[in-house]
Amino acid sequence: MYVYINGEIIDQNLVKISPFDHGFMYGLGLFETFRVDEGHPFLLEDHIHRLKKGLVELNIKWDYDTNKIVSVLDQLLKANGLSHAYIRLNVSAGTGEVGLQTRAYESPTTIIYIKPLAKSHMLEKEAVLLRTRRNTPEGSYRLKSHHYLNNILAKREIGDDSSKEGLFLNEQGFVCEGIVSNIFWIKNRVVYTPDSGTGLLNGITREFVLTLLQKLNIKYEVGYYEKETLIDCDEAFVTNSIQEVVPLIGINGQVLPGGKGSITNKVSDLYQYYKQKKLWSKAEVL
């Protein structure tokens, strides 16, 4: 496969970064993952907006815009012969001296990874409540950063079974998020999802689904919930930008309707409808 790094598209086996890159040394880097389907990067503007906001927090100067990213993606897709792809857009701080730096990073390392991805279709998963607790964010809110040990420990807990997703409780015992997803559940036709104050990563797909619920006139609540509230649900689904809306067939052995859930289906159908519209941002819905 060919990848992009700092202005070049090269064979992935030839990619090199400096051992003095502070993304490697101190974890100062952010990334976005998203789908490209039929050549279109869904909700790309929302991903770039979140990335840029996070880079300001890390004091990393980055001057790419949507047009530049689209141009690079077009070149990458052509070089790899793909029209459906998994994309990871990664920006790390760039090189610096050994030691903690307080001044701005002026020359970040930008890498765009790509791999083949099948056309999207509805998956179903079983959720398991994790013993591992979600750690608190490094700053005032969680960034999609290189700090992934908490997620790795959680993944080791449930193993490599792709049909399962682990669900974090935070340190206060509130339902937080999945290892690589956000969680939604339905009780008496009301949708519930944890507040970002629980320490979750505010996913681009999470925000898009909240927009879809408004469009569907489906009542939803965002708050702090104990695990008993989640397990007592009528249906549930998890979301991320690669797998999209994933119905749950169970949580901790409690059987759920999966893809047969009525509200889950409505959300998934509307998601796919807007995906066919090739949206750049959730702002185009309302």
Side-chain angles (χ1 to χ4, degrees):
M1 301 299 293
Y2 291 91
V3 302
Y4 172 90
I5 178 168
N6 292 342
E8 295 184 272
I9 293 179
I10 62 176
D11 188 291
Q12 65 180 19
N13 296 311
L14 302 177
V15 175
K16 296 179 181 179
I17 63 168
S18 169
F20 291 94
D21 191 307
H22 281 202
F24 168 73
M25 295 179 74
Y26 301 113
L28 291 176
L30 303 178
F31 68 99
E32 294 289 330
T33 54
F34 52 88
R35 295 183 66 101
V36 169
D37 284 287
E38 297 178 354
H40 178 73
F42 190 58
L43 301 181
L44 178 62
E45 289 184 355
D46 293 344
H47 283 282
I48 292 177
H49 176 77
R50 180 175 67 174
L51 178 62
K52 286 187 171 183
K53 181 181 177 183
L55 292 172
V56 170
E57 291 286 318
L58 296 186
N59 207 12
I60 296 173
K61 308 297 184 182
W62 191 69
D63 61 359
Y64 287 56
D65 60 17
T66 300
N67 289 336
K68 184 168 183 176
I69 296 299
V70 169
S71 176
V72 173
L73 290 175
D74 287 344
Q75 295 173 61
L76 265 183
L77 291 166
K78 184 177 180 180
N80 289 288
L82 299 174
S83 59
H84 299 271
Y86 171 113
I87 301 292
R88 171 172 166 144
L89 168 56
N90 198 99
V91 182
S92 66
T95 58
E97 300 295 326
V98 176
L100 301 183
Q101 176 174 316
T102 59
R103 66 183 182 278
Y105 291 93
E106 302 284 353
S107 301
T109 302
T110 302
I111 304 176
I112 302 181
Y113 305 84
I114 186 170
K115 65 180 182 180
L117 192 63
K119 291 184 178 181
S120 60
H121 63 281
M122 184 178 282
L123 304 168
E124 291 182 321
K125 291 193 175 190
E126 179 183 0
V128 178
L129 289 171
L130 295 160
R131 296 187 303 275
T132 304
R133 292 298 176 103
R134 192 59 167 126
N135 63 344
T136 55
E138 290 81 10
S140 59
Y141 66 97
R142 190 171 302 280
L143 302 174
K144 196 172 178 68
S145 76
H146 290 185
H147 296 274
Y148 246 59
L149 178 58
N150 195 216
N151 302 66
I152 294 294
L153 294 175
K155 183 62 177 175
R156 289 175 182 170
E157 184 179 326
I158 67 168
D160 291 327
D161 187 347
S162 62
S163 69
K164 291 186 178 181
E165 172 66 324
L167 299 179
F168 284 109
L169 304 179
N170 70 5
E171 293 174 347
Q172 291 74 42
F174 294 117
V175 179
C176 186
E177 63 181 340
I179 298 173
V180 292
S181 65
N182 291 118
I183 175 72
F184 294 80
W185 64 94
I186 298 94
K187 183 68 176 181
N188 297 327
R189 303 196 64 77
V190 177
V191 180
Y192 297 87
T193 196
D195 190 279
S196 58
T198 60
L200 57 80
L201 176 69
N202 187 14
I204 298 301
T205 304
R206 174 183 181 271
E207 284 291 301
F208 187 61
V209 165
L210 293 176
T211 301
L212 297 183
L213 292 172
Q214 293 178 53
K215 189 71 174 179
L216 290 164
N217 292 316
I218 293 174
K219 183 179 179 181
Y220 70 86
E221 294 184 11
V222 178
Y224 296 80
Y225 306 102
E226 297 182 347
K227 63 183 179 180
E228 290 78 13
T229 304
L230 168 63
I231 293 173
D232 188 45
C233 70
D234 299 323
E235 55 182 294
F237 58 90
V238 294
T239 62
N240 67 36
S241 294
I242 301 299
Q243 297 175 347
E244 303 170 332
V245 177
V246 181
L248 295 181
I249 58 173
I251 300 175
N252 269 30
Q254 181 76 20
V255 177
L256 295 173
K260 296 178 182 178
S262 61
I263 290 181
T264 301
N265 258 309
K266 286 181 180 179
V267 172
S268 181
D269 287 348
L270 191 58
Y271 187 103
Q272 293 303 319
Y273 168 80
Y274 280 115
K275 188 175 171 185
Q276 294 301 315
K277 297 290 186 181
K278 299 186 175 181
L279 300 189
W280 296 96
S281 170
K282 69 179 186 295
E284 297 175 68
V285 173
L286 298 177

